Amino acid sequence: MFRRRLKLSYTKRLANLLWPRSGLRRSVQYLRHRLGRMQGSPYAIAAGFAYGAAISFTPLMGGHIAFAALLSWVSRASVVASVIGTVVGNPWTFPFIWAWIYYLGVWLLGIDPIDFNAEKLSWNFLLDHFLDIFLPMLAGGIPSGAVVWLAFYFPIKVSVERYQVARLVRMIEARQRKPLKTDEGTRI
């Protein structure tokens, strides 16, 4: 019923993932409306989204959604919002996030960074130096995640509060405009 008439090729699908046809601005607006319409308190929605965004700043690839959902569940935040919040970590932002948390971790631990030459950078190199890369990233990811949590929580909480109040006002005004029916079927 909701399928496309002409199926998209894999390259078109990949292109839509990287750059939506409707544009990034429209995608952000959709995300804003989606968060505003979610069931839950502004705290739950904002905290859930902030947990998802914060977890994206850790090197726990493949576990971002699970860890964000677990943190949200423990703190009684919205698990759905936390899953949406993990979108902060995406193919465009991960290279910057990983570089930031690695070099922050190197600085915090007081160790020398690994020389990442393009010639010797390979899967074998990454596997051979896994702990030398993972531990600094974890050390840099935890404080970065805390800052990111704060940076997302407060603006989203205020935005969701305003959105929910405005939506409630619109719904009340719409009800007041409807004519009321009495038992006899006459309108008041």
Side-chain angles (χ1 to χ4, degrees):
M1 181 175 178
F2 293 108
R3 291 185 184 163
R4 296 171 124 325
R5 239 184 247 177
L6 301 172
K7 206 170 184 182
L8 288 179
S9 67
Y10 290 110
T11 55
K12 288 279 188 187
R13 287 185 199 175
L14 181 62
N16 283 338
L17 277 175
L18 296 176
W19 191 272
R21 277 182 32 201
S22 59
L24 289 176
R25 183 176 179 191
R26 178 132 171 119
S27 296
V28 169
Q29 285 178 337
Y30 171 78
L31 184 62
R32 185 177 154 265
H33 286 295
R34 182 69 193 109
L35 287 174
R37 291 179 183 152
M38 288 181 82
Q39 294 293 318
S41 68
Y43 157 77
I45 296 167
F49 189 91
Y51 280 124
I55 286 295
S56 294
F57 277 75
T58 63
L60 307 172
M61 290 302 295
H64 286 167
I65 291 174
F67 286 118
L70 179 66
L71 284 172
S72 295
W73 180 72
V74 167
S75 66
R76 296 192 176 261
S78 173
V79 173
V80 175
S82 70
V83 171
I84 294 171
T86 60
V87 171
V88 168
N90 60 60
W92 286 351
T93 59
F94 275 139
F96 301 107
I97 291 171
W98 292 337
W100 165 255
I101 64 175
Y102 176 74
Y103 286 109
L104 178 63
V106 163
W107 179 74
L108 289 172
L109 296 175
I111 60 176
D112 292 328
I114 295 175
D115 182 26
F116 292 106
N117 286 338
E119 294 122 19
K120 67 178 183 178
L121 190 59
S122 66
W123 286 110
N124 289 334
F125 176 81
L126 294 175
L127 290 174
D128 290 343
H129 298 287
F130 177 75
L131 285 179
D132 297 333
I133 297 169
F134 180 78
L135 291 178
M137 288 178 80
L138 188 62
I142 292 171
S144 295
V147 170
V148 166
W149 191 93
L150 292 170
F152 276 97
Y153 173 75
F154 291 108
I156 290 177
K157 183 174 184 240
V158 169
S159 177
V160 168
E161 284 172 346
R162 288 179 182 165
Y163 190 95
Q164 287 179 347
V165 167
R167 186 171 185 225
L168 184 63
V169 167
R170 283 192 310 270
M171 290 170 62
I172 290 171
E173 288 173 351
R175 273 196 201 136
Q176 290 174 348
R177 283 190 296 245
K178 272 188 178 177
L180 298 175
K181 292 184 180 179
T182 62
D183 290 337
E184 292 82 32
T186 57
R187 294 185 179 188
I188 301 177

